[in-house]
Amino acid sequence: MKEKILNPDHSEVKALTNERPYPAVLVLAGNDPSGGAGLSADLLTLASLGCHPLPVVTAITVQDSATLDDFLVMEPDWVVDQARMVLEDMPVEAFKVGMIGSVENVAAITELVSDYPDVPLVLDPVLASGSGSPMADDDLVAAMRDMLLPQVSVLTPNSLEARRLAVNDPDGDDDPDLDECARRLLALGPAYVLITGTHEGSADVVNVLYGPEGRIREDRWPRLPGSYHGSGCTLASALTAFLAQGVEIGEAVREAQAYTYQTLAHAFRPGMGQFIPDRLFWSRDEAEPENPEEDAGAEPE
Ligand code: PXL
């Protein structure tokens, strides 16, 4: 791979055309400077799976691979202006929404996407950072529930987010199981709900897709040992990529999980905190020789 990049074969250079080889996906999300979650996760995943990501910044965060320190939310006009300008320039095949940041942004994004009712919308309801710091208060959760969920094609909460979105009175006795959470969430409007089981105590991670008729599919994955930063963003973006390419929902959910599992199995630890999924695992070189000198006498390829 590297050899080909550094020594291109000029006979392969093609004439420029107006073809659109990559479906465009508009991503509304926050920036995470550790490169683990948020926009970086979305952009790497979408590009890795053959889409052209259009990044719209909803918030900036101050965080590393271990801790979220602070965040600043964009004004809704800025969010909408970023999106509208590019939406008027090019067709998009899907929307992906991650961190929203404020009730005002929920309202603005809801109005924006309502102008594109035929474009699938994946909402990853980001309520906390990878390290568990809150990123959404109760008003923001209520706004997502009341305004945005009716426009959503696929909602991708983890089990904690599913409970928080489905239970109106968190201090009461109401403790629905995940099937009941999914029923309640579907009643709020999304066409499908994919609840991920990473935070449950089960030996395997169990992810369940629900639709109008109830459970559609259940996938089990061996629980990997690490603590990962950006796995939810990766799964939701991978799902968006497959939907943007016209893959049917059940198959898209299956493929997105298979891709995410591989990114986690190849995860790396760039700092002192969590592991980061390798969204480009398939493009990395095969393992370098441990001691290059041992190979010095080998025949060149
Ligand atoms: O993983 C959820 C997430 C989404 N978006 C941003 C984040 C995080 C987690 O830390 O920082 C910007």
Side-chain angles (χ1 to χ4, degrees):
M1 168 75 85
K2 250 182 222 149
E3 177 60 23
K4 209 172 163 195
I5 294 169
L6 297 177
N7 298 302
D9 173 357
H10 294 287
S11 66
E12 282 182 8
V13 176
K14 296 203 192 89
L16 294 177
T17 72
N18 289 332
E19 277 170 41
R20 294 198 181 93
Y22 307 118
V25 174
L26 191 100
V27 181
L28 299 116
N31 187 56
D32 165 12
S34 80
L39 278 174
S40 309
D42 299 334
L43 305 191
L44 283 167
T45 301
L46 286 160
S48 173
L49 291 173
C51 291
H52 174 54
L54 310 171
V56 170
V57 184
T58 55
I60 59 173
T61 69
V62 178
Q63 66 181 308
D64 57 19
S65 59
T67 312
L68 176 84
D69 236 29
D70 208 351
F71 59 82
L72 174 77
V73 177
M74 298 293 293
E75 292 293 323
D77 285 355
W78 276 89
V79 174
V80 171
D81 287 353
Q82 291 175 76
R84 290 252 185 237
M85 183 131 184
V86 75
L87 284 165
E88 277 158 30
D89 182 33
M90 60 188 79
V92 305
E93 305 305 328
F95 293 111
K96 194 250 163 183
V97 178
M99 179 183 184
I100 297 177
S102 67
V103 170
E104 293 73 19
N105 278 349
V106 177
I109 292 170
T110 303
E111 196 185 328
L112 174 81
V113 296
S114 70
D115 288 343
Y116 301 85
D118 298 331
V119 176
L121 162 61
V122 174
L123 173 63
D124 180 17
V126 175
L127 305 185
S129 73
S131 49
S133 303
M135 295 171 82
D137 61 16
D138 289 344
D139 289 346
L140 181 44
V141 172
M144 263 194 231
R145 201 190 281 136
D146 298 341
M147 291 190 247
L148 193 50
L149 286 198
Q151 312 262 356
V152 168
S153 315
V154 193
L155 178 70
T156 63
N158 62 39
S159 51
L160 308 178
E161 292 162 340
R163 289 194 187 94
R164 178 129 178 247
L165 282 163
V167 175
N168 259 321
D169 170 20
D171 299 327
D173 293 337
D174 190 18
D175 185 20
D177 65 13
L178 292 176
D179 285 352
E180 173 58 18
C181 289
R183 259 193 297 280
R184 292 186 193 178
L185 293 173
L186 286 164
L188 295 170
Y192 299 96
V193 176
L194 172 64
I195 302 185
T196 57
T198 322
H199 295 82
E200 300 299 285
S202 49
D204 286 342
V205 172
V206 184
N207 302 327
V208 184
L209 176 68
Y210 300 86
E213 316 287 320
R215 279 178 170 245
I216 295 179
R217 65 176 300 136
E218 175 184 300
D219 295 283
R220 288 173 178 269
W221 300 90
R223 189 173 284 281
L224 291 163
S227 166
Y228 305 97
H229 187 58
S231 52
C233 305
T234 304
L235 177 67
S237 285
L239 174 59
T240 314
F242 289 112
L243 295 177
Q245 285 156 354
V247 177
E248 172 274 322
I249 178 73
E251 188 60 21
V253 162
R254 159 86 210 164
E255 296 279 313
Q257 290 176 77
Y259 169 82
T260 304
Y261 186 79
Q262 292 266 33
T263 68
L264 298 177
H266 291 84
F268 58 100
R269 193 168 180 231
M272 292 178 283
Q274 292 179 300
F275 281 77
I276 285 181
D278 186 355
R279 267 79 51 155
L280 296 176
F281 65 88
W282 55 266
S283 74
R284 308 289 187 205
D285 286 343
E286 289 300 313
E288 299 281 340
E290 296 258 303
N291 176 359
E293 281 174 18
E294 271 176 23
D295 284 38
E299 289 289 312
E301 280 183 14

